[in-house]
Amino acid sequence: MARRLFCATRALLLPAPAPAPAPTPTSASSAAAAEAAASLLPLLPCKRRKKLLRKLNSPRVAPIEPEAARRVPALDAVLDRDTAFRFLHRARSFLSSLPPPHRIPLSEAGKLYRELGFPRGRKVSRSATRHPLLFHLPVVDSVPHLALTPFMCSLLEEERRIHDDLLPSRVRAVRKLLMLTAHRRVPLAKLHHCRAVLGLPDDFRDRVHDFPDDFRVVVDPRDGRHILELARWDPALAVSALERDFVVDESRVRRTFRFAVPHRRLMPLDAEDADRLDTATTFPLVSPYTNGALLKPWTHEAEKYRVGVVHEFLSLTLEKHAMIHHIVEFKEEFGLTRHMYESLQKQNRAFYLAGTEMNWALFLRAAYDENGVLKEKDPLVLFNEKLQQYACMSKMDSRENMIDAAGL
């Protein structure tokens, strides 16, 4: 199932609280839930046992990493946190795109489960009431609505200021992304779909016109799509994160990647031949900014190039991880093949695969510590963590924070 995924072609009014660790979702991970369900198998009758066994073997539940000893619970928890706050981030993005007062009738919101990020078949009001400080359900002309609270609107203003301050670095990241592609062009719709992963503002498609020296927007005559093209090549940007790390610590980068070369176990090698073989089996820093189309397909060099492209893409993301559908979104532009899953799975010292076979994520191991905390946090990541703290607060908690801040 994971292999088939690569063939797919498919989206301050109150004082700040005291610093606290990011909230931990109460829901267990899919792998832990599957193990708990599997422990009940001997206790069930035959028919129910078969039914549960089929469910546990479903790609929706089966973990992408089948060996429990190789799983990293700290990184699995990061994926669970993203799932727990999916409604928060999607709903605030959708409602903020609406004109003031940023509200929508509840009957219409109930149909937008994809846009708002709540489970299909559930009531959107149930998800909104979990975050009373940020969402509320006002009644306008006898019609209940889903809307943002005034406090949430003030937080969105703060987020816009952060996006404005970070816009030069985001433009630089998009330029590097275009330089990774085969033809130095990407449909704007794909960038919009991955905007949260790359840390781009929701109106980035409109802001690209403010940088004519860096980008061009053209219309594809075949399907009418708007395409973002690179206006100029900058050699200073054509340096990957691996190449920068290679200068600082060459041995660590070489130990990160391994590409097996078949040979006899007892093959006699002198020191020079051993170094040559070690160079062939480690990552030789094939720059992802080279033209991958010139490499012969199905060779070690082509595989190393594609792995390097994925590594560089993850290094450009906001939290150094991405869901598989975000990577598949650029499958044609990056020249990825249906064998990429096997290539990534072999590089378990560089990448970590978390989630289920139906929907899994790819992490850069070096970007996280042993507790699953991002080592270098972007200002937008810090803002999202603060937003998640507010999302876990009740109205009573907010009143207590106001009293503590006032010294009463």
Side-chain angles (χ1 to χ4, degrees):
M1 174 57 66
R3 194 179 301 177
R4 291 200 295 271
L5 286 172
F6 273 100
C7 304
T9 55
R10 325 265 180 252
L12 280 172
L13 299 182
L14 297 180
T24 302
T26 58
S27 60
S29 64
S30 300
E35 291 176 359
S39 64
L40 299 175
L41 282 174
L43 307 177
L44 298 177
C46 183
K47 289 185 178 180
R48 295 191 63 184
R49 188 185 310 150
K50 290 181 179 179
K51 184 177 179 180
L52 180 57
L53 192 58
R54 285 196 300 269
K55 184 176 181 180
L56 291 177
N57 291 332
S58 169
R60 295 180 179 273
V61 180
I64 190 67
E65 179 52 72
E67 298 183 21
R70 297 178 59 178
R71 295 176 194 153
V72 183
L75 296 182
D76 290 335
V78 174
L79 208 58
D80 293 337
R81 179 209 63 189
D82 294 344
T83 301
F85 293 113
R86 181 185 295 124
F87 173 79
L88 167 66
H89 295 295
R90 290 193 185 180
R92 60 110 181 214
S93 177
F94 181 84
L95 292 176
S96 63
S97 65
L98 302 177
H102 306 294
R103 66 189 181 203
I104 183 174
L106 206 58
S107 58
E108 295 183 17
K111 305 174 185 178
L112 304 175
Y113 61 93
R114 292 184 184 275
E115 290 79 1
L116 298 179
F118 63 94
R120 184 178 184 179
R122 303 285 182 88
K123 291 184 178 180
V124 63
S125 58
R126 180 180 178 182
S127 298
T129 52
R130 292 176 178 173
H131 314 302
L133 206 61
L134 307 179
F135 301 98
H136 67 135
L137 305 172
V139 179
V140 181
D141 297 332
S142 302
V143 178
H145 285 65
L146 173 65
L148 301 176
T149 62
F151 177 60
M152 182 63 167
C153 293
S154 67
L155 290 176
L156 292 179
E157 290 296 331
E158 180 184 351
E159 184 184 27
R160 291 190 187 97
R161 292 192 293 270
I162 294 176
H163 277 301
D164 291 339
D165 295 339
L166 297 177
L167 189 58
S169 63
R170 298 296 186 257
V171 170
R172 178 177 177 272
V174 174
R175 289 175 62 194
K176 290 175 70 69
L177 179 64
L178 292 174
M179 294 169 66
L180 288 175
T181 60
H183 303 290
R184 319 307 178 204
R185 60 203 312 258
V186 167
L188 271 173
K190 293 188 176 184
L191 284 177
H192 185 72
H193 174 67
C194 300
R195 64 190 184 281
V197 178
L198 298 170
L200 303 178
D202 292 340
D203 58 349
F204 184 77
R205 287 183 293 186
D206 300 325
R207 295 194 180 196
V208 294
H209 298 283
D210 299 333
F211 302 92
D213 296 335
D214 300 320
F215 307 119
R216 288 191 301 266
V217 179
V218 298
V219 178
D220 193 331
R222 297 172 298 177
D223 50 19
R225 292 187 302 174
H226 287 77
I227 308 295
L228 185 67
E229 290 185 346
L230 184 69
R232 59 186 178 88
W233 179 276
D234 188 354
L237 294 180
V239 180
S240 67
L242 280 175
E243 290 174 313
R244 292 195 300 269
D245 293 343
F246 188 82
V247 175
V248 178
D249 191 349
E250 175 181 347
S251 59
R252 183 185 64 82
V253 175
R254 286 193 176 276
R255 289 194 305 268
T256 302
F257 295 90
R258 279 287 182 179
F259 295 86
V261 175
H263 62 84
R264 291 183 58 185
R265 181 174 299 178
L266 301 178
M267 181 173 59
L269 296 174
D270 56 21
E272 182 180 356
D273 291 337
D275 292 340
R276 189 176 304 170
L277 181 61
D278 182 67
T279 302
T281 57
T282 55
F283 196 81
L285 292 179
V286 176
S287 176
Y289 294 99
T290 58
N291 191 352
L294 301 179
L295 299 174
K296 295 182 180 180
W298 320 123
T299 61
H300 283 290
E301 288 75 15
E303 181 183 3
K304 294 172 183 178
Y305 165 78
R306 289 190 290 265
V307 169
V309 168
V310 174
H311 187 282
E312 183 68 3
F313 172 76
L314 292 178
S315 69
L316 296 176
T317 59
L318 188 64
E319 297 190 50
K320 312 309 177 190
H321 75 269
M323 301 302 295
I324 182 58
H325 61 82
H326 292 130
I327 301 176
V328 170
E329 193 75 26
F330 301 100
K331 174 177 179 289
E332 297 178 358
E333 287 78 9
F334 292 161
L336 304 181
T337 68
R338 63 187 181 91
H339 298 287
M340 274 302 300
Y341 169 69
E342 288 85 353
S343 299
L344 297 174
Q345 195 178 36
K346 289 187 297 185
Q347 308 300 331
N348 53 12
R349 286 183 289 185
F351 305 113
Y352 177 67
L353 280 63
T356 64
E357 293 181 1
M358 179 66 73
N359 192 23
W360 49 278
L362 192 65
F363 286 79
L364 281 183
R365 285 181 180 267
Y368 289 82
D369 62 15
E370 62 277 3
N371 297 319
V373 178
L374 201 60
K375 295 179 180 178
E376 297 181 6
K377 294 185 178 182
D378 187 88
L380 192 58
V381 174
L382 298 175
F383 172 82
N384 288 334
E385 290 180 353
K386 182 175 71 172
L387 190 65
Q388 291 165 6
Q389 293 175 12
Y390 283 126
C392 294
M393 294 170 59
S394 64
K395 292 183 179 180
M396 182 61 67
D397 295 332
S398 64
R399 294 193 189 99
E400 292 176 357
N401 283 331
M402 290 180 63
I403 294 176
D404 293 340
L408 301 177

